Amino acid sequence: MTSNELGASLRRWRDRLSPDAVGLPARRQRRSPGIRREELATLAGLSVDYVTRLEQGRATSPSAQVLAALARALQLTVDERDYLFRVGGQVVPGSGRMSSHVTPGIQRLLRRLDEFPVSVHDAAWTLIAWNPLWATLMGDPSDLHGHQRNLLWRCFTAPPRDGDPVSIGGRVVRTAAEQGAFERAAVADLRAAVGRWPDDPGLRLLVTDLRRTSGRFTELWDSRAVGAHAADRKTILHPEVGRIGVDCDVFTAAGSDLKVIAYTVEPGSEAAEKLALLRVVGLQALGR
């Protein structure tokens, strides 16, 4: 291996990744194959300067979170991700922890399924990835981090609705009965995840923080209900197009417990027309 195996690996993986594979427009004039440093930095949520220092060997102790973000952005296989963690000086994610690695196949699925909003969550319902239409419908989550990206955290700790907050699920409208049913199903699903991953520190921390913060969560958690939240019907209150009713189906990626959620509507319906409008305008304000 080279003296800077981490940097050499990042450069090689970046060079092999085509702009089209990550949803970037293919420009005619590129001095090198693959994606640029600034493009990798954007995809991973890092600064260009930090990516540059990693590749040049001037930053040598990246955190596990940084390595995980780079692995997702570079669309690494599980073996390549493990290698990245080793040369980056971090413990390889073990079998006792939840997976947050979005495989190249799931990333391709997100890009190709552009007709409907699609999101990817880990076993604890923390948002990991999404397609542009999901961000348009639900609100851009790019600036949210940590617990803020967790569906249960937003559900049990968010303040009462004031206007239209950009948050995970912040645009979902439910009746009191629907909210209660969702809370029970979500907590039962979380307990099932704890049963599968009892040694995962991030999962334990989430449960501890929720119990400390929310009496309602504690009540449901102490009921010891175990289950799976696999489907739902949501009404989304969008600030520009109003209410949109969507069916939410949850698919589990084999071998990882990642939850791929597809939001679909009946063809030809009013909801389908509103979703088509959002698909055209994207995150831009409709009034512009």
Side-chain angles (χ1 to χ4, degrees), residues 248-265:
C248 302
D249 292 287
V250 182
F251 306 93
T252 302
S256 70
D257 266 3
L258 291 183
K259 302 174 187 294
V260 181
I261 307 177
Y263 294 57
T264 61
V265 296

PDB file of all heavy atoms in Angstrom, residues 248-265:
ATOM      1  N   CYS A 248     -47.932   5.067   1.343  1.00  0.00           N
ATOM      2  CA  CYS A 248     -46.524   4.853   1.687  1.00  0.00           C
ATOM      3  C   CYS A 248     -46.291   3.369   1.916  1.00  0.00           C
ATOM      4  O   CYS A 248     -46.875   2.769   2.832  1.00  0.00           O
ATOM      5  CB  CYS A 248     -46.144   5.632   2.943  1.00  0.00           C
ATOM      6  SG  CYS A 248     -46.416   7.403   2.789  1.00  0.00           S
ATOM      7  N   ASP A 249     -45.472   2.770   1.081  1.00  0.00           N
ATOM      8  CA  ASP A 249     -45.122   1.361   1.226  1.00  0.00           C
ATOM      9  C   ASP A 249     -43.655   1.244   1.590  1.00  0.00           C
ATOM     10  O   ASP A 249     -42.794   1.911   0.991  1.00  0.00           O
ATOM     11  CB  ASP A 249     -45.410   0.601  -0.071  1.00  0.00           C
ATOM     12  CG  ASP A 249     -46.901   0.499  -0.356  1.00  0.00           C
ATOM     13  OD1 ASP A 249     -47.571  -0.280   0.336  1.00  0.00           O
ATOM     14  OD2 ASP A 249     -47.385   1.215  -1.245  1.00  0.00           O
ATOM     15  N   VAL A 250     -43.367   0.397   2.574  1.00  0.00           N
ATOM     16  CA  VAL A 250     -42.014   0.239   3.103  1.00  0.00           C
ATOM     17  C   VAL A 250     -41.450  -1.094   2.632  1.00  0.00           C
ATOM     18  O   VAL A 250     -42.038  -2.153   2.877  1.00  0.00           O
ATOM     19  CB  VAL A 250     -42.005   0.295   4.641  1.00  0.00           C
ATOM     20  CG1 VAL A 250     -40.574   0.189   5.165  1.00  0.00           C
ATOM     21  CG2 VAL A 250     -42.668   1.575   5.130  1.00  0.00           C
ATOM     22  N   PHE A 251     -40.293  -1.039   1.968  1.00  0.00           N
ATOM     23  CA  PHE A 251     -39.608  -2.238   1.507  1.00  0.00           C
ATOM     24  C   PHE A 251     -38.271  -2.332   2.229  1.00  0.00           C
ATOM     25  O   PHE A 251     -37.557  -1.343   2.357  1.00  0.00           O
ATOM     26  CB  PHE A 251     -39.381  -2.182  -0.003  1.00  0.00           C
ATOM     27  CG  PHE A 251     -40.639  -1.928  -0.797  1.00  0.00           C
ATOM     28  CD1 PHE A 251     -40.998  -0.624  -1.139  1.00  0.00           C
ATOM     29  CD2 PHE A 251     -41.459  -2.961  -1.168  1.00  0.00           C
ATOM     30  CE1 PHE A 251     -42.160  -0.370  -1.859  1.00  0.00           C
ATOM     31  CE2 PHE A 251     -42.625  -2.725  -1.893  1.00  0.00           C
ATOM     32  CZ  PHE A 251     -42.972  -1.429  -2.241  1.00  0.00           C
ATOM     33  N   THR A 252     -37.937  -3.512   2.706  1.00  0.00           N
ATOM     34  CA  THR A 252     -36.691  -3.706   3.438  1.00  0.00           C
ATOM     35  C   THR A 252     -35.631  -4.282   2.511  1.00  0.00           C
ATOM     36  O   THR A 252     -35.863  -5.302   1.851  1.00  0.00           O
ATOM     37  CB  THR A 252     -36.890  -4.649   4.634  1.00  0.00           C
ATOM     38  OG1 THR A 252     -37.894  -4.112   5.487  1.00  0.00           O
ATOM     39  CG2 THR A 252     -35.592  -4.797   5.428  1.00  0.00           C
ATOM     40  N   ALA A 253     -34.464  -3.621   2.457  1.00  0.00           N
ATOM     41  CA  ALA A 253     -33.362  -4.107   1.636  1.00  0.00           C
ATOM     42  C   ALA A 253     -32.745  -5.337   2.290  1.00  0.00           C
ATOM     43  O   ALA A 253     -32.377  -5.314   3.465  1.00  0.00           O
ATOM     44  CB  ALA A 253     -32.300  -3.015   1.466  1.00  0.00           C
ATOM     45  N   ALA A 254     -32.652  -6.416   1.546  1.00  0.00           N
ATOM     46  CA  ALA A 254     -32.169  -7.688   2.089  1.00  0.00           C
ATOM     47  C   ALA A 254     -30.765  -7.547   2.653  1.00  0.00           C
ATOM     48  O   ALA A 254     -29.880  -6.965   2.034  1.00  0.00           O
ATOM     49  CB  ALA A 254     -32.187  -8.762   0.998  1.00  0.00           C
ATOM     50  N   GLY A 255     -30.579  -8.078   3.852  1.00  0.00           N
ATOM     51  CA  GLY A 255     -29.261  -8.126   4.466  1.00  0.00           C
ATOM     52  C   GLY A 255     -28.814  -6.854   5.138  1.00  0.00           C
ATOM     53  O   GLY A 255     -27.705  -6.788   5.657  1.00  0.00           O
ATOM     54  N   SER A 256     -29.670  -5.806   5.163  1.00  0.00           N
ATOM     55  CA  SER A 256     -29.210  -4.544   5.740  1.00  0.00           C
ATOM     56  C   SER A 256     -30.221  -3.903   6.684  1.00  0.00           C
ATOM     57  O   SER A 256     -29.858  -3.064   7.483  1.00  0.00           O
ATOM     58  CB  SER A 256     -28.894  -3.540   4.626  1.00  0.00           C
ATOM     59  OG  SER A 256     -30.081  -3.115   3.988  1.00  0.00           O
ATOM     60  N   ASP A 257     -31.490  -4.276   6.592  1.00  0.00           N
ATOM     61  CA  ASP A 257     -32.557  -3.658   7.381  1.00  0.00           C
ATOM     62  C   ASP A 257     -32.834  -2.224   6.962  1.00  0.00           C
ATOM     63  O   ASP A 257     -33.551  -1.512   7.651  1.00  0.00           O
ATOM     64  CB  ASP A 257     -32.258  -3.698   8.888  1.00  0.00           C
ATOM     65  CG  ASP A 257     -32.882  -4.927   9.549  1.00  0.00           C
ATOM     66  OD1 ASP A 257     -33.478  -5.736   8.819  1.00  0.00           O
ATOM     67  OD2 ASP A 257     -32.771  -5.067  10.770  1.00  0.00           O
ATOM     68  N   LEU A 258     -32.254  -1.762   5.857  1.00  0.00           N
ATOM     69  CA  LEU A 258     -32.586  -0.433   5.364  1.00  0.00           C
ATOM     70  C   LEU A 258     -34.028  -0.434   4.875  1.00  0.00           C
ATOM     71  O   LEU A 258     -34.490  -1.379   4.237  1.00  0.00           O
ATOM     72  CB  LEU A 258     -31.658  -0.030   4.219  1.00  0.00           C
ATOM     73  CG  LEU A 258     -30.197   0.247   4.554  1.00  0.00           C
ATOM     74  CD1 LEU A 258     -29.461   0.705   3.308  1.00  0.00           C
ATOM     75  CD2 LEU A 258     -30.063   1.285   5.652  1.00  0.00           C
ATOM     76  N   LYS A 259     -34.740   0.652   5.159  1.00  0.00           N
ATOM     77  CA  LYS A 259     -36.141   0.777   4.765  1.00  0.00           C
ATOM     78  C   LYS A 259     -36.243   1.728   3.581  1.00  0.00           C
ATOM     79  O   LYS A 259     -35.911   2.909   3.693  1.00  0.00           O
ATOM     80  CB  LYS A 259     -36.969   1.309   5.943  1.00  0.00           C
ATOM     81  CG  LYS A 259     -36.893   0.435   7.195  1.00  0.00           C
ATOM     82  CD  LYS A 259     -37.622   1.093   8.352  1.00  0.00           C
ATOM     83  CE  LYS A 259     -37.427   0.346   9.656  1.00  0.00           C
ATOM     84  NZ  LYS A 259     -38.043  -0.988   9.646  1.00  0.00           N
ATOM     85  N   VAL A 260     -36.699   1.211   2.455  1.00  0.00           N
ATOM     86  CA  VAL A 260     -36.920   2.012   1.263  1.00  0.00           C
ATOM     87  C   VAL A 260     -38.420   2.319   1.205  1.00  0.00           C
ATOM     88  O   VAL A 260     -39.241   1.402   1.134  1.00  0.00           O
ATOM     89  CB  VAL A 260     -36.479   1.278  -0.011  1.00  0.00           C
ATOM     90  CG1 VAL A 260     -36.702   2.148  -1.242  1.00  0.00           C
ATOM     91  CG2 VAL A 260     -35.011   0.861   0.098  1.00  0.00           C
ATOM     92  N   ILE A 261     -38.773   3.603   1.255  1.00  0.00           N
ATOM     93  CA  ILE A 261     -40.173   4.010   1.327  1.00  0.00           C
ATOM     94  C   ILE A 261     -40.563   4.712   0.034  1.00  0.00           C
ATOM     95  O   ILE A 261     -39.950   5.710  -0.359  1.00  0.00           O
ATOM     96  CB  ILE A 261     -40.422   4.949   2.519  1.00  0.00           C
ATOM     97  CG1 ILE A 261     -39.886   4.307   3.813  1.00  0.00           C
ATOM     98  CG2 ILE A 261     -41.909   5.261   2.647  1.00  0.00           C
ATOM     99  CD1 ILE A 261     -40.016   5.203   5.019  1.00  0.00           C
ATOM    100  N   ALA A 262     -41.578   4.165  -0.620  1.00  0.00           N
ATOM    101  CA  ALA A 262     -42.092   4.747  -1.863  1.00  0.00           C
ATOM    102  C   ALA A 262     -43.437   5.408  -1.598  1.00  0.00           C
ATOM    103  O   ALA A 262     -44.330   4.805  -0.990  1.00  0.00           O
ATOM    104  CB  ALA A 262     -42.233   3.670  -2.929  1.00  0.00           C
ATOM    105  N   TYR A 263     -43.586   6.653  -2.029  1.00  0.00           N
ATOM    106  CA  TYR A 263     -44.827   7.413  -1.892  1.00  0.00           C
ATOM    107  C   TYR A 263     -45.517   7.402  -3.263  1.00  0.00           C
ATOM    108  O   TYR A 263     -44.999   7.983  -4.222  1.00  0.00           O
ATOM    109  CB  TYR A 263     -44.541   8.853  -1.486  1.00  0.00           C
ATOM    110  CG  TYR A 263     -43.953   9.034  -0.109  1.00  0.00           C
ATOM    111  CD1 TYR A 263     -42.772   8.428   0.274  1.00  0.00           C
ATOM    112  CD2 TYR A 263     -44.587   9.850   0.821  1.00  0.00           C
ATOM    113  CE1 TYR A 263     -42.234   8.603   1.546  1.00  0.00           C
ATOM    114  CE2 TYR A 263     -44.070  10.045   2.091  1.00  0.00           C
ATOM    115  CZ  TYR A 263     -42.883   9.407   2.446  1.00  0.00           C
ATOM    116  OH  TYR A 263     -42.361   9.597   3.695  1.00  0.00           O
ATOM    117  N   THR A 264     -46.674   6.763  -3.365  1.00  0.00           N
ATOM    118  CA  THR A 264     -47.339   6.644  -4.649  1.00  0.00           C
ATOM    119  C   THR A 264     -48.752   7.222  -4.583  1.00  0.00           C
ATOM    120  O   THR A 264     -49.331   7.369  -3.497  1.00  0.00           O
ATOM    121  CB  THR A 264     -47.425   5.177  -5.101  1.00  0.00           C
ATOM    122  OG1 THR A 264     -48.183   4.414  -4.150  1.00  0.00           O
ATOM    123  CG2 THR A 264     -46.026   4.576  -5.225  1.00  0.00           C
ATOM    124  N   VAL A 265     -49.297   7.548  -5.766  1.00  0.00           N
ATOM    125  CA  VAL A 265     -50.648   8.104  -5.872  1.00  0.00           C
ATOM    126  C   VAL A 265     -51.377   7.397  -6.997  1.00  0.00           C
ATOM    127  O   VAL A 265     -50.762   6.791  -7.888  1.00  0.00           O
ATOM    128  CB  VAL A 265     -50.621   9.628  -6.127  1.00  0.00           C
ATOM    129  CG1 VAL A 265     -50.004  10.374  -4.954  1.00  0.00           C
ATOM    130  CG2 VAL A 265     -49.854   9.946  -7.408  1.00  0.00           C
TER     131      VAL A 265
END
